[in-house]
């Protein structure tokens, strides 16, 4: 069958799996306050005006958390699915599961049916969100890997934006079509994902792991060699992949337990904390509960829908500000991007905490509808809160947003990559699930100190990244292994090369990828540079 070798097209199709994540994030944000939804799943009866009150707070929390709960399980299972059936097939399986879940959600007539459908959707998102970065990492050129895996985050932001405005528009429809239409429409991208993947090649590294060497070389020739099987870069990649596969077979012990052995625990903690920190940045405060913040800042103006459009602005900022990372992330490197992002997010969180602490007053009884809307702030400080919130999103979007997906797949050897990234992604979903419950009561009980907590997390992640996160940009995945080799001179036991001594080797990598002939002096120079980087000398 005809296969497409354009790496940008391959990434564009694969990251539709990320868009499913975005669809699910915002698939309820503009729906849960509408009368069609509240009446269909009503538990609290009616108010004095005859309006439906909907499900109880605990039940609504369960409905909302069903998706990240299912995603956590799906992410954990995705490693086994991916290692068994392949990276591409696992994403296709995820897309089929999504379609099934969307049908159940769209047809929901009661709360249990809705919860089951959202769990199934979440299971699909868990598979796709874990394995799309693995697939792209294993098929992309080192110099483009960050940009291409970063498309995953961009697709997530587009999914959030598109589904938010679809739900917002449908919220004006009377009848159950107000929520059934958007929940049904979200099955279409999954169908396109499944069909698009039919024409894409499998991961060459997974094929090599299964001893399908001819197919692996054909994929590398198609994608990296531009059809030239004699390309020096293709030959070099095949040689490195073969050496890595043979080494791993001689030391095979592929299970989740291996991730916690002394020689792997450092990498495991880095990958897992990359995803945990991305949740603890406070993006949940600024993004998913933005209506609370804007209501407290006086934007509600007596109407529940008044805060939806200002909330939509931050989704647009999220999409637009991800673009710089796609263009320049590989040039910047992973470490500087994460450090700069942590610094600025900490700054804007401190600004919000200070403004609310100094200028806000406690909410009056009956002033707001939710207990989480516990403060009120007006005037110039309120405008500063809004601006700081937008700036926070603009700081997250080009830094921790895309890098948190790009970085973990680069850390692990081939035999463990599928399971390791699945474990890292499951940590993301576990904290996503926890924060879905934490943030509203935190605002209700400790008010502005909620921002201070997340600012502290951002300061902690800055320190953690500086001392423990090595630079992996522009390195073939097999060469990243050398960074963690603790037998080299200058290395730290169980850690390898100190993180602050690792460097971005973009120029040398580009020369290797694009020049078929490299002089012996240049080769020696490259080897000396690589030696200095991995040994710190």
């Amino acid at each position: 069958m005809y296969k497409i070798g354009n790496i940008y097209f391959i990434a564009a199709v694969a990251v539709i799996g990320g868009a499913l994540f975005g669809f699910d994030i915002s698939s309820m944000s503009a729906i849960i306050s509408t009368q069609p939804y509240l009446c269909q799943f009503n538990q609290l009866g009616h108010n004095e005006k005859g309006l439906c009150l909907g499900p109880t707070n605990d039940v609504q929390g369960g409905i909302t958390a069903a998706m990240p709960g299912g995603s956590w399980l799906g992410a954990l299972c995705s490693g086994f699915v991916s290692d068994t059936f392949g990276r591409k097939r696992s994403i296709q399986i995820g897309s089929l599961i999504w379609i099934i879940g969307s049908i159940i959600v769209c047809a929901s007539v009661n709360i249990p049916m809705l919860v089951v459908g959202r769990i199934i959707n979440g299971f699909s998102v868990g598979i796709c969100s874990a394995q799309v970065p693995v697939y792209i990492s294993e098929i992309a050129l080192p110099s483009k890997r960050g940009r291409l895996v970063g498309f995953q985050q961009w697709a997530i932001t587009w999914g959030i934006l598109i589904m938010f405005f679809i739900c917002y528009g449908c919220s004006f429809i009377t009848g159950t079509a107000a929520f059934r239409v958007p929940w049904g429409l979200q099955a279409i991208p999954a169908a396109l994902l499944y069909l698009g993947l039919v024409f894409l090649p499998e991961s060459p590294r997974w094929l090599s792991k299964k001893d399908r060497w001819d197919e692996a070389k054909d994929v590398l020739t198609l994608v990296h060699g531009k059809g030239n099987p004699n390309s020096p870069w293709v030959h070099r990649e095949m040689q490195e992949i073969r050496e890595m596969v043979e080494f791993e077979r001689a030391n095979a012990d592929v299970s989740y337990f291996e991730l916690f052995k002394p020689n792997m625990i450092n990498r495991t903690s880095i990958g897992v904390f990359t995803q945990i920190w991305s949740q603890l940045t406070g993006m949940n405060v600024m993004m998913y509960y933005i209506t609370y913040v804007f209501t407290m800042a006086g934007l509600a103006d007596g109407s529940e829908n008044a805060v939806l459009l200002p909330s939509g602005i931050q989704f647009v900022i999220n999409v637009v500000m991800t673009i710089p990372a796609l263009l320049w992330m590989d040039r910047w490197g992973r470490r500087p991007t994460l450090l700069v992002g942590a610094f600025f997010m900490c700054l804007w969180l401190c600004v919000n905490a200070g403004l609310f602490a100094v200028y806000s007053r406690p909410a009056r009884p009956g002033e707001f509808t939710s207990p989480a809307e516990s403060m009120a702030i007006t005037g110039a400080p309120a405008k500063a809160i809004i601006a700081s919130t937008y700036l926070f999103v603009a700081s997250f979007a080009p830094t921790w947003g895309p890098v948190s997906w790009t970085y973990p797949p680069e850390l692990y050897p081939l035999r463990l990559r599928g399971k390791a990234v699945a474990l890292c992604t499951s940590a993301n979903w576990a904290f996503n699930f926890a924060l879905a419950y934490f943030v509203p009561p935190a605002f209700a009980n400790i008010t502005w100190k909620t921002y201070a907590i997340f600012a502290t997390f951002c300061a902690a992640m800055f320190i953690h990244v500086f001392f423990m996160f090595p630079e992996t940009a522009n390195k073939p995945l097999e060469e990243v292994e050398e960074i963690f080799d603790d037998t080299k001179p200058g290395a730290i036991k169980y850690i390898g090369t100190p993180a602050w001594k690792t460097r971005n080797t973009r120029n040398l990598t580009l020369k290797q990828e694009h020049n078929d002939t490299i002089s012996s002096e240049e080769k020696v120079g490259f080897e000396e540079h690589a030696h200095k980087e991995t040994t710190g000398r």
Side-chain angles (χ1 to χ4, degrees):
M1 180 179 288
Y2 174 74
K3 299 294 182 185
I4 296 171
N6 184 289
I7 189 61
Y8 288 101
F9 185 87
I10 291 171
V13 171
V15 298
I16 295 175
L20 302 182
F21 182 1
F23 291 150
D24 222 35
I25 286 173
S26 58
S27 63
M28 299 197 74
S29 58
I31 293 296
I32 57 176
S33 62
T34 63
Q35 279 298 297
Y37 173 85
L38 295 174
C39 291
Q40 180 66 47
F41 305 106
N42 194 12
Q43 289 182 308
L44 296 174
H46 301 77
N47 63 11
E48 63 277 3
K49 297 180 181 180
L51 298 177
C52 299
L53 297 176
T56 65
N57 289 334
D58 289 342
V59 170
Q60 182 57 57
I63 293 172
T64 303
M67 186 274 291
S71 298
W72 172 79
L73 182 61
L76 281 180
C77 295
S78 70
F80 296 102
V81 176
S82 176
D83 288 344
T84 303
F85 299 104
R87 315 309 192 204
K88 187 178 82 167
R89 297 294 181 210
S90 65
I91 301 170
Q92 286 183 305
I93 291 170
S95 66
L96 292 177
I97 295 173
W98 174 271
I99 293 172
I100 294 170
S102 296
I103 292 171
I104 295 174
V105 167
C106 178
S108 296
V109 295
N110 53 42
I111 291 172
M113 188 173 178
L114 177 60
V115 169
V116 169
R118 284 182 60 77
I119 290 174
I120 293 173
N121 269 358
F123 192 85
S124 163
V125 168
I127 293 174
C128 292
S129 63
Q131 296 310 314
V132 167
V134 173
Y135 174 63
I136 297 176
S137 292
E138 293 187 346
I139 204 169
L141 284 164
S143 64
K144 295 182 174 68
R145 190 170 60 235
R147 174 186 302 174
L148 295 170
V149 179
F151 281 157
Q152 162 99 342
Q153 176 65 18
W154 203 37
I156 292 171
T157 64
W158 273 108
I160 295 171
L161 179 67
I162 292 169
M163 183 53 65
F164 178 84
F165 282 107
I166 288 175
C167 290
Y168 176 71
C170 291
S171 68
F172 296 98
I173 299 175
T174 56
T176 59
F179 59 84
R180 298 198 193 279
V181 169
W183 290 351
L185 286 176
Q186 64 184 4
I188 296 175
L192 296 176
L193 173 62
Y194 182 90
L195 294 174
L197 284 166
V198 171
F199 301 99
L200 303 188
E202 180 55 89
S203 159
R205 288 168 169 84
W206 182 84
L207 291 170
S208 300
K209 183 180 175 182
K210 299 297 181 180
D211 282 330
R212 295 159 64 174
W213 295 102
D214 291 340
E215 293 177 66
K217 185 174 182 181
D218 289 343
V219 172
L220 290 175
T221 300
L222 175 67
V223 180
H224 296 179
K226 299 180 180 179
N228 177 17
N230 298 317
S231 165
W233 179 257
V234 171
H235 176 75
R236 179 175 182 267
E237 276 197 294
M238 282 300 299
Q239 181 78 14
E240 290 182 347
I241 292 172
R242 188 180 296 274
E243 290 174 359
M244 183 58 65
V245 169
E246 291 175 354
F247 173 80
E248 290 181 348
R249 281 182 180 161
N251 300 271
D253 183 15
V254 184
S255 70
Y256 276 115
F257 293 108
E258 187 177 354
L259 292 170
F260 299 97
K261 289 185 175 181
N263 65 330
M264 286 299 301
I265 189 65
N266 178 46
R267 273 187 269 190
T268 301
S269 66
I270 293 171
V272 168
F273 267 95
T274 300
Q275 292 286 10
I276 290 175
W277 286 136
S278 73
Q279 286 295 318
L280 295 181
T281 56
M283 191 62 174
N284 277 283
V285 181
M286 298 294 196
M287 179 73 75
Y288 308 133
Y289 295 102
I290 194 67
T291 55
Y292 291 168
V293 178
F294 283 179
T295 297
M296 291 186 287
L299 288 184
D301 196 26
S303 170
E304 291 184 358
N305 286 340
V307 297
L308 291 180
L309 288 180
S311 300
I313 292 174
Q314 69 152 3
F315 297 139
V316 174
I317 293 172
N318 200 18
V319 170
V320 173
M321 289 304 297
T322 303
I323 295 175
L326 304 182
L327 297 176
W328 298 304
M329 187 200 310
D330 288 309
R331 187 179 300 275
W332 297 339
R334 311 295 182 251
R335 278 173 54 82
T337 305
L338 293 175
L339 290 170
V340 169
F343 173 82
F344 279 106
M345 286 187 290
C346 181
L347 173 64
W348 305 126
L349 287 166
C350 288
V351 168
N352 273 14
L355 288 170
F356 271 119
V358 175
Y359 295 104
S360 71
R361 59 167 175 79
R364 300 186 184 97
E367 183 175 6
F368 301 127
T369 57
S370 171
E373 295 160 344
S374 56
M375 302 171 285
I377 188 169
T378 57
K383 294 178 181 178
I385 290 285
I386 296 168
S388 180
T389 300
Y390 286 151
L391 287 169
F392 176 90
V393 175
S395 300
F396 175 88
T399 58
W400 280 84
V403 176
S404 64
W405 297 109
T406 303
Y407 195 55
E410 297 176 330
L411 297 171
Y412 302 100
L414 176 61
R415 71 184 186 279
L416 285 170
R417 191 171 296 131
K419 290 184 175 66
V421 176
L423 179 65
C424 296
T425 307
S426 72
N428 178 300
W429 285 109
F431 276 76
N432 188 311
F433 180 89
L435 289 172
Y437 280 108
F438 167 76
V439 173
F443 268 131
N445 292 291
I446 61 174
T447 61
W448 62 267
K449 299 180 186 71
T450 304
Y451 285 108
I453 290 175
F454 286 106
T456 303
F457 285 142
C458 286
M461 70 183 69
F462 182 96
I463 296 170
H464 191 188
V465 169
F466 183 83
F467 286 106
M468 298 302 297
F469 286 40
E471 183 58 72
T472 58
N474 296 290
K475 296 175 176 62
L477 295 177
E478 289 69 31
E479 287 186 9
V480 174
E481 204 54 24
E482 296 181 14
I483 296 175
F484 298 98
D485 185 353
D486 62 0
T487 63
K488 290 180 176 291
I492 301 172
K493 190 171 180 61
Y494 300 134
I495 292 177
T497 304
W500 60 90
K501 292 184 178 180
T502 56
R503 299 289 182 269
N504 186 350
T505 58
R506 179 173 178 77
N507 292 335
L508 295 167
T509 302
L510 284 173
K511 182 169 287 189
Q512 283 198 320
E513 288 178 0
H514 296 301
N515 293 304
D516 284 349
T517 57
I518 301 176
S519 68
S520 58
E521 290 82 3
E522 289 175 315
K523 289 181 180 179
V524 170
F526 174 80
E527 290 170 358
E528 288 178 351
H529 187 99
H531 176 75
K532 289 179 181 177
E533 179 188 282
T534 55
T535 63
R537 297 181 178 181

